[in-house]
Amino acid sequence: MHPFSYGSVHISASEPTAVPAIDHNYLDNEIDVRILLKGYKLLREIYKTSPLKEHIVTEVNPGAEIQTDADLTEYIRRTLGTTFHPIGTASMLPRKDGGVVDSRLKVYGTQNLRVVDASIIPIHLSAHLQGTLYAIAEKAADLIKE
C-alpha cells in the first residue's frame, strides 16, 4: 500500500499525442520485496487458522508448490502490478528530491503549467482518493484565481 520504490514518467517524443515513457520501477527498493514476502507468509498462516481454514479448498495463487522465500520472491517480482490508482507520478516535492511540481502546483521549469490531479500526491494514501482530489482541485482553483 505504501511502497518505497518509485518510478518515472518522461516525455518520449515532441508530438503531444505520443505515449510517455513510463518506468514503474516496481520493487526497486528491497524493503518492498521483504514486506510483500512477509505479507504472503502471514496470509498463509491466517488461511491455516480456524474458522477460515474450514472454508479454504486450495491455494490458487501463488500455489502450494511455491514454498521457499526465493520462490515466493520470484513469484512476487513476476506478478506484481498496479491497482490502477497511480499517484505520485508528478510529485509535489522539492525538485532536488525528484519533485515535478511546486507548492503552487506549477511544473518546475515552466512558466504557467500546473498539474491538478492525483499525480502530485507524493505518497500513497490508505484511503479513497476522491476526497483528497476534491481538496486539491479547490486549492488549485484558488491558486489560479490569484
Side-chain angles (χ1 to χ4, degrees), residues 20-75:
I22 300 173
D23 177 8
H24 296 105
N25 213 22
Y26 295 134
L27 305 175
D28 181 57
N29 191 315
E30 190 59 30
I31 191 71
D32 292 337
V33 177
R34 293 194 314 230
I35 289 169
L36 289 169
L37 181 61
K38 284 187 179 277
Y40 267 103
K41 289 176 163 184
L42 177 61
L43 281 173
R44 283 180 163 171
E45 289 303 311
I46 292 169
Y47 289 152
K48 293 177 187 174
T49 305
S50 289
L52 189 57
K53 74 177 181 178
E54 286 79 26
H55 300 282
I56 304 294
V57 176
T58 186
E59 179 180 308
V60 177
N61 287 316
E65 69 281 359
I66 307 289
Q67 291 296 318
T68 68
D69 284 2
D71 287 345
L72 273 169
T73 298
E74 191 277 325
Y75 173 81

Side-chain angles (χ1 to χ4, degrees), residues 95 100 102 106-113:
R95 195 173 195 176
V100 175
D102 63 19
K106 288 186 178 179
V107 175
Y108 292 117
T110 68
Q111 293 290 323
N112 201 24
L113 177 63

Side-chain angles (χ1 to χ4, degrees), residues 10 29 65 81 114 119 137 143:
H10 295 281
N29 191 315
E65 69 281 359
R114 295 180 197 266
S119 68
L143 291 169

